[in-house]
């Protein structure tokens, strides 16, 4: 997994509308990038809603928030519409961003091993340098903790 001091990888993603974009488009401003396993599941929904609830405060700081999963763009659009989410949701269907950030990991559930996205968040400065990493995120209170770190920039 990437660490503080590393640079944000320049990966191409798709937004909820299916249009290509790169994390490079955020160069010149700090950015929060968070990875979540699957849209419209309880933990991922709560995390997205928490970031949405604080989105005006992130915007006031000039810090965009990007949530990345391997869901298809159409599923992300449905997810955003269903819950009124106003953070940028991005599709990494091929898994390039997950690989580049180191969030595609072996997981275990009831003794069964499988590959999946580790919930993690990265805060980068305007030059794209990662300042803080939250691996193995616990959802409750996480968005507020990230906001406090962004305020310190």
């Amino acid at each position: 997994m990437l660490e503080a001091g590393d640079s944000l990888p320049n990966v191409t993603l798709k937004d909820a509308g299916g249009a290509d974009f790169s994390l490079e488009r955020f160069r010149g401003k700090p950015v929060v990038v968070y990875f979540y396993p699957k849209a419209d599941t309880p933990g991922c929904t709560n995390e997205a809603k928490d970031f949405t609830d604080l989105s005006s405060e992130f915007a006031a700081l000039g810090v965009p928030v990007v949530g990345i999963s391997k869901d298809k763009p159409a599923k992300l659009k449905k997810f955003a519409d269903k819950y009124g989410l106003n953070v940028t949701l991005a599709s990494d269907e091929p898994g390039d961003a997950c690989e580049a950030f180191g969030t595609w990991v072996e997981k275990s559930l009831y003794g069964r091993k499988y590959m999946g996205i580790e919930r993690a968040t990265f805060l980068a400065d305007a030059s794209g340098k990662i300042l803080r990493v939250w691996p193995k995120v616990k959802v409750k209170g996480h968005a507020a903790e990230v906001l406090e770190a962004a305020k310190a920039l």
Side-chain angles (χ1 to χ4, degrees), residues 35-39 44 68-71 107 117-119:
F35 286 82
Y36 62 98
K38 191 171 176 136
C44 298
I68 301 174
S69 73
K70 290 185 75 165
D71 294 307
K107 298 171 115 181
I117 294 176
E118 178 177 314
R119 192 181 306 275

Side-chain angles (χ1 to χ4, degrees), residues 112-124:
R112 183 180 69 89
K113 296 202 181 296
Y114 64 97
M115 295 300 289
I117 294 176
E118 178 177 314
R119 192 181 306 275
T121 302
F122 302 83
L123 174 62

Side-chain angles (χ1 to χ4, degrees), residues 8 23 26 31-35 64-68 101 120-124:
L8 282 179
L23 292 178
F26 300 108
V31 63
V32 171
V33 178
Y34 77 94
F35 286 82
V65 176
V66 181
I68 301 174
F101 278 83
T121 302
F122 302 83
L123 174 62

Side-chain angles (χ1 to χ4, degrees), residues 37-79:
K38 191 171 176 136
D40 213 5
T41 56
C44 298
T45 299
N46 288 334
E47 185 174 26
K49 287 167 67 176
D50 289 349
F51 275 113
T52 292
D53 289 346
L54 298 173
S55 63
S56 63
E57 292 181 61
F58 280 104
L61 296 171
V63 180
V65 176
V66 181
I68 301 174
S69 73
K70 290 185 75 165
D71 294 307
K72 294 180 183 307
K75 184 170 184 180
L76 297 179
K77 179 164 182 13
K78 185 177 176 183
F79 179 47

Side-chain angles (χ1 to χ4, degrees), residues 5-7 17 21-22 24-25 35 37-38 43 47 63 68 94 104 109 113-114 121 125 129 132 134 139 141 153:
D6 291 337
S7 293
F21 77 94
S22 163
E24 272 295 307
R25 86 173 182 191
F35 286 82
K38 191 171 176 136
E47 185 174 26
V63 180
I68 301 174
W104 188 247
L109 182 65
K113 296 202 181 296
Y114 64 97
T121 302
D125 67 11
K129 179 179 158 193
R132 180 106 186 255
W134 290 265
V139 173
L153 295 178

